Amino acid sequence: MALLEEQAEHKEGMFRAITDQSTEGITLADTAGNYTFVNPAFCSMMGYSEPELLQMSVFDMKAPEQDHTSFDRTKSSREGLSVEVLLQRKDGSVFVSEVIGQNVIINGSAQVLGTVRDISDYVKTEGKIRTLSQAVEQSPVSIMILSVAGVIKYVNRAFERITGYKLAEVEHENIDVLIPDGLLEDFQGGLARSMEKGEIWEGEMLIRKKAGESFWEYAHFSPVRDEYNKIIHYLGVKEDISLRKEHEEKILHQAHFDVLTNLPNRFLSLDRLSHMLSEAVRNNESAALLFIDLDDFKKVNDSLGHEMGDKLLIEAAARLKSEVREGDTVGRLGGDEFIVLLGGLQNPTNAQLTAENLLGRFRDAFRVDGRELMMTATVGIAVYPGDGDSASELLRSADAAMYHAKELGRNTYSFFTEDMNKQVTRRLSLEEQIHGALDRGEFEVIYQPQVDVGSSQIIGVEALLRWHNPALGNVPPDEFIPVAEQTGLIVSIGQFVLAEALRNAAYWQEHFSREFRMAVNFSPRQFRDPNLVAFIKRTVDEYGLSGKTLELEITEGVLMSGQRYIYDIFEALKGLGVCISMDDFGTGYSSLSYLRNYSFDLLKIDRSFISDITVDPADRELIKAAVAMAHSLHLKVVAEGVETEAQLEYLKELRCDYAQGYLFGKPMAVDDLTQLLMLNKSM
Ligand code: C2E
Ligand code: MG
Ligand code: MG
């Protein structure tokens, strides 16, 4: 065989191998479109055999619907024509193909070389992608695609609408541009780190809008991988949660701030106090706690109404706040109690200066609802180190200092001192010991006679409580009654006193006089006991007494709240025939309106007036007026603390009805009183 022939045969073999094994259809057609060559891939693509196809033309392959489809995908180039056409197989099925036709010269004649590819799968995928990208584009949730390095590749319309940034403005920018200043570090520790590690990240993030303000989003970022499982992008889906955040913040705010004044509430104030202390310890500095209590605020509230009281508190809070430095806390502990925290003090005397300034802020009248009101405050100061190492100790010290300042006459301030320290310690042990004292039988009721000024006959007694405690000794009632009040123990202790007193009253009535009367002291807290009246009635009945044997001694403190239930209790007690006396008259506000509005039977003039009755003409005039006024309201008058005959003479002159005091007998134990009554009887 000639060399040329051999070469031609070799080429033919190569051509065959290529066309036979190609996955693309390869065809040759003459200028009329009749196939002159088809490869096996084309045959299997169309479902015809080679001889069949060689009898057919390119036009036989076109699907009928092709004529209605525009050739918009036709691309013409120098190499030829690339078209997407619908072809129909022998079995009738239709598919999308990409056909590239090229004019070639083969063996001197013009032919068209066609390369045919089945692109149905590709077209399907492309359709899907188009639908998907439309969904992404139009999704109401904000969507973004980032590069692995965090560069923004795409944002959808929701993102544009929410943030105010157009895609073109953020494309190619790092996502960092969306993070508000100061939060970048957090962000880099969170999302950015997850991205580095190829992990999913989800959480809340603060995003800065183009206009500058920030808002909260809940974001989910997940990696997008290619077919080799390599991360190529990050897809972020984000939801605006500003409203929820706002709501959450509101709730959080309410838990920490006082609704009325918007100052830190008790909880947050004490938390800040603890913080201030740890700072002071760490930096070896001083810090001060100012405890502020408005003077007579309760009275304002009671007389002018709570609405007015609220307005005053708001104004007072504003004044306090205006007086301290930016970083210092002013908090409301509750009611009319505020605290001011002064951290990082160079010198404790700075606290004094602040206290003076705070009091100064109250010098101007408060204008509320067109009224002008004067209101003052009292301040207690506790300093770290010295007055306490913990928040609660410091608070207790400041509170004690405040009480001391109140005693000094209000509208002033006082530092905590060693003396107060002793008082605080004493108070704590009282609180500790008074629990269980009743069960341990440490209380005793003793009795002080009350006499008729005209006849000097004993007409009854006042029951007075004594506490004998092994650790504290004999504690005077002026000291332990307030503690019993505050702990609420006064209710059960008071029931003990009443039962004891009435039991003995029954005995003395039986042995001495049916008219014998028993006066028992009641404190404000006992009036809040819903069972008070029922208990009194039961006890009176139990000892076979009549209601008028009992005389309830109350102070103005009971009436101060002015609440309806006090009237109701008064009425119920009147119904039982019980007498009610106003104790310690002349010491408090001695409001005459109380005497008019409540049906009292007796007025007890405080012993501080009686003691000076023989020396101070003013006191004498005062008592004279009080007696006259009481009588005009049909009240009997009892003089307390009568110690001398001279005092008794004056009281007779002033037409006082009854008297009580050391002159007739000190408070004494049951048996001693029985003895005294026997003597009195035989007189
Ligand atoms: P109060 O009700 O004004 O009782 C009169 C106080 O004056 C008694 O003090 C009594 O011992 C004292 N006293 C009486 N006569 C004289 C006198 O001639 N000269 C002097 N210097 N003092 C005299 P006490 O027993 O220490 O009681 C103090 C207060 O404690 C009472 O004042 C009363 O408010 C309260 N208290 C006593 N027992 C009870 C009780 O059972 N329940 C309640 N809630 N309070 C009580
Ligand atoms: Mg009394
Ligand atoms: Mg009294």
Side-chain angles (χ1 to χ4, degrees), residues 448 462-466 477-478 481 490 497 521-523 526 553 583-584 607 640-643 660-662 667:
Q448 184 175 32
E462 176 176 6
L464 293 161
L465 188 58
R466 293 294 177 265
D478 288 328
I481 293 287
I490 191 70
V497 175
N521 294 284
F522 272 75
S523 44
Q526 290 173 274
E553 295 196 2
D583 203 352
D584 300 345
R607 69 165 182 270
E640 288 188 292
V642 181
E643 295 181 354
Q660 177 184 348
Y662 294 169

Side-chain angles (χ1 to χ4, degrees), residues 58-127:
V58 293
F59 306 106
D60 298 326
M61 299 300 116
K62 269 202 322 187
E65 36 291 49
Q66 177 58 48
D67 293 334
H68 313 293
T69 314
S70 66
F71 277 81
D72 59 340
R73 297 233 187 195
T74 304
K75 279 179 273 171
S76 184
S77 67
R78 209 154 45 91
E79 287 77 37
L81 204 66
S82 157
V83 290
E84 252 172 48
V85 284
L86 288 173
L87 300 182
Q88 188 168 37
R89 299 190 186 93
K90 187 180 179 183
D91 65 7
S93 59
V94 172
F95 68 98
V96 194
S97 68
E98 185 191 47
V99 178
I100 301 167
Q102 260 174 290
N103 297 320
V104 289
I105 307 283
I106 294 181
N107 296 334
S109 69
Q111 302 248 359
V112 179
L113 170 65
T115 323
V116 187
R117 219 178 340 148
D118 181 348
I119 56 164
S120 322
D121 283 349
Y122 167 76
V123 169
K124 248 189 247 158
T125 322
E126 199 190 30

